[in-house]
Amino acid sequence: MKDHESEEMYLETILVLKGERPAVRSIDIAEKLGYAKSSVSRAVSLLQDRGYIKVADDGFIDFTPLGAKKADMIFERHKVLTRLLVELGASETLAEVNACRIEHFIDDEVFELIKKHVENTDRA
């Protein structure tokens, strides 16, 4: 895995897959992302080394508490940013793609401002 953005993308993908099926394996990640199994295996190994996931003997992947916390944070950013972009007039597809890009680089302080704005829009 080359960078922070890739790490977050893998964690978010695992979280999404966990919502779609009872168990997640490396092959599921490879299919979802369209990546080679060897690339995903390397990334899974690095995520495990960094303490974000654990891989059972049967190949099933689960989050550690640290990994679950980080994946939840990334996914929250994705959802909030997507909603904001849709509110601004972007199509759902365009909003999704751009939220994916933005979520990895936005400062925490700026994200919190956006989150407050989106929450206030919901109440209005």
Side-chain angles (χ1 to χ4, degrees):
M1 216 171 348
K2 294 177 186 164
D3 57 17
H4 174 72
E5 183 179 351
S6 293
E7 178 180 279
E8 290 184 352
M9 179 199 50
Y10 276 101
L11 291 171
E12 183 176 9
T13 300
I14 294 167
L15 182 66
V16 168
L17 286 169
K18 285 180 139 316
E20 296 174 356
R21 58 190 74 197
V24 177
R25 299 165 300 146
S26 291
I27 187 69
D28 302 320
I29 299 166
E31 288 173 1
K32 180 84 170 176
L33 295 174
Y35 289 178
K37 287 184 262 181
S38 58
S39 296
V40 173
S41 291
R42 175 154 168 64
V44 164
S45 181
L46 288 170
L47 289 172
Q48 193 171 12
D49 290 347
R50 293 176 182 164
Y52 293 124
I53 62 171
K54 51 192 172 204
V55 181
D57 292 338
D58 57 9
F60 293 120
I61 297 168
D62 206 357
F63 286 117
T64 63
L66 176 67
K69 182 178 178 182
K70 186 162 183 156
D72 287 340
M73 184 231 14
I74 296 161
F75 194 59
E76 177 189 34
R77 284 178 174 225
H78 183 89
K79 290 187 303 186
V80 168
L81 291 167
T82 298
R83 277 188 35 216
L84 175 69
L85 294 172
V86 167
E87 285 176 14
L88 293 173
S91 70
E92 188 72 32
T93 303
L94 188 59
E96 286 278 336
V97 169
N98 281 277
C100 261
R101 293 178 183 154
I102 297 166
E103 71 194 31
H104 304 292
F105 298 103
I106 193 168
D107 291 328
D108 291 341
E109 183 178 343
V110 172
F111 174 73
E112 287 302 320
L113 292 170
I114 291 170
K115 183 177 168 184
K116 275 186 194 173
H117 172 78
V118 169
E119 288 170 350
N120 288 337
T121 303
D122 285 345
R123 288 185 226 141

